């Protein structure tokens, strides 16, 4: 029994690789979005705390 394609050349393998690449891209975009949202929230809280004159809290990274 012979095979036309090897495992790396099969169409299903190519689809799996593309699917994995898309999942990783989506994962990295989600991480970048979460970081940006976190940074925006930190800046917003810093701006509001400066004008309020209340106790100063800082987050150490």
């Amino acid at each position: 029994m012979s095979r036309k394609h090897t495992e790396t050349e099969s169409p299903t393998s190519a689809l799996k690789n593309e699917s994995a690449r898309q999942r990783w891209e989506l994962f990295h975009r989600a991480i970048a979005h979460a970081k940006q949202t976190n940074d925006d929230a930190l800046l917003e809280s810093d701006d509001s705390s400066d004008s309020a004159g209340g106790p100063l809290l800082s987050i150490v990274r």
Side-chain angles (χ1 to χ4, degrees):
M1 195 195 284
S2 69
R3 295 175 133 192
K4 270 187 168 179
H5 302 287
T6 63
E7 185 61 32
T8 58
E9 296 174 350
S10 73
T12 56
S13 179
L15 288 175
K16 288 179 187 177
N17 289 338
E18 179 63 18
S19 177
R21 186 194 63 75
Q22 288 176 353
R23 283 193 311 270
W24 275 111
E25 182 179 335
L26 185 59
F27 172 75
H28 288 291
R29 287 175 58 195
I31 295 296
H33 176 72
K35 286 173 120 177
Q36 185 62 48
T37 303
N38 189 37
D39 288 344
D40 291 346
L42 287 173
L43 288 174
E44 185 178 306
S45 69
D46 285 346
D47 290 343
S48 65
S49 68
D50 289 343
S51 62
L56 177 65
L57 300 175
S58 63
I59 298 174
V60 178
R61 293 183 193 201

